[in-house]
Amino acid sequence: MSISNLQEISVKENHISSAGNSIKITSFKKITKVNSFIKENLEQRFRYCLDDVSCKKILIVGAGTLGNELLKNLILSGVTDVTLVDNDSYVIENLPRSTLIEKTDIGRNKAEALANRAVLKSPFAANITAVNADILQLGWGFLESFDLIFSPVDNIATRY
């Protein structure tokens, strides 16, 4: 019996304008097709995990150390729709604290690099969108489109 699964990964870029700023949005989408053996095994393993959030639209503000761990745990638990917002770039000092990030991600936008790494490592189908912007530029209308918002940031202005 073959237990391999088929995967397809796509990347889509878009640009929007908000408050006179051009904001880059990149979506990384993974479609996974598994055979019945794997499907039954996964359904049994995750039957009681994250039932309330697995189909929610989740926003993570900040793709640093805590955002990295939060996203890793969400995708490994079966959450499929996550948006990351961060306008910072990874530096060498981030590597020991960001488990999904690799050396080749240094200099890349944090949201985009983390979304890309997370979708590659997810064992499930996943749709992870990266928004290269300061959350303060996006406004309340952007926030209202999410069911659950996490803000693991160390910036006081962003927290408020």
Side-chain angles (χ1 to χ4, degrees), residues 38-78:
I38 293 175
K39 185 175 180 178
E40 289 171 21
N41 187 293
L42 289 174
E43 286 174 358
Q44 184 178 10
R45 271 178 78 193
F46 294 99
R47 182 170 294 135
Y48 303 107
C49 295
L50 296 174
D51 288 340
D52 292 334
V53 295
S54 63
C55 60
K56 302 286 186 193
K57 190 171 178 183
I58 297 176
L59 172 66
I60 300 175
V61 180
T65 302
L66 295 177
N68 198 294
E69 285 299 309
L70 182 58
L71 179 61
K72 180 189 76 169
N73 291 327
L74 288 170
I75 64 163
L76 291 177
S77 298

Side-chain angles (χ1 to χ4, degrees), residues 61-70 86 90 94 97-98 110 114 152:
V61 180
T65 302
L66 295 177
N68 198 294
E69 285 299 309
L70 182 58
D86 202 314
Y90 281 112
N94 296 125
R97 299 184 308 267
S98 302
K110 285 183 175 182
L114 183 56

Side-chain angles (χ1 to χ4, degrees), residues 87-102:
N87 66 339
D88 198 7
S89 298
Y90 281 112
V91 294
I92 191 79
E93 292 81 9
N94 296 125
L95 287 179
R97 299 184 308 267
S98 302
T99 57
L100 293 176
I101 298 307
E102 297 178 9

Side-chain angles (χ1 to χ4, degrees), residues 1-131:
M1 169 188 309
S2 171
I3 59 171
S4 65
N5 53 351
L6 302 172
Q7 305 180 82
E8 179 181 318
I9 297 175
S10 64
V11 179
K12 185 172 95 175
E13 281 188 18
N14 192 10
H15 288 37
I16 63 169
S17 182
S18 177
N21 297 308
S22 178
I23 297 170
K24 180 181 173 186
I25 299 175
T26 310
S27 291
F28 297 86
K29 187 171 188 174
K30 179 178 188 176
I31 299 169
T32 303
K33 296 177 183 174
V34 296
N35 66 30
S36 60
F37 174 79
I38 293 175
K39 185 175 180 178
E40 289 171 21
N41 187 293
L42 289 174
E43 286 174 358
Q44 184 178 10
R45 271 178 78 193
F46 294 99
R47 182 170 294 135
Y48 303 107
C49 295
L50 296 174
D51 288 340
D52 292 334
V53 295
S54 63
C55 60
K56 302 286 186 193
K57 190 171 178 183
I58 297 176
L59 172 66
I60 300 175
V61 180
T65 302
L66 295 177
N68 198 294
E69 285 299 309
L70 182 58
L71 179 61
K72 180 189 76 169
N73 291 327
L74 288 170
I75 64 163
L76 291 177
S77 298
V79 172
T80 60
D81 191 2
V82 180
T83 297
L84 293 167
V85 175
D86 202 314
N87 66 339
D88 198 7
S89 298
Y90 281 112
V91 294
I92 191 79
E93 292 81 9
N94 296 125
L95 287 179
R97 299 184 308 267
S98 302
T99 57
L100 293 176
I101 298 307
E102 297 178 9
K103 194 173 184 178
T104 57
D105 295 317
I106 294 171
R108 288 185 67 198
N109 169 259
K110 285 183 175 182
E112 188 174 317
L114 183 56
N116 182 41
R117 294 292 176 196
V119 82
L120 289 172
K121 294 185 183 203
S122 174
F124 306 103
N127 184 26
I128 304 173
T129 302
V131 180

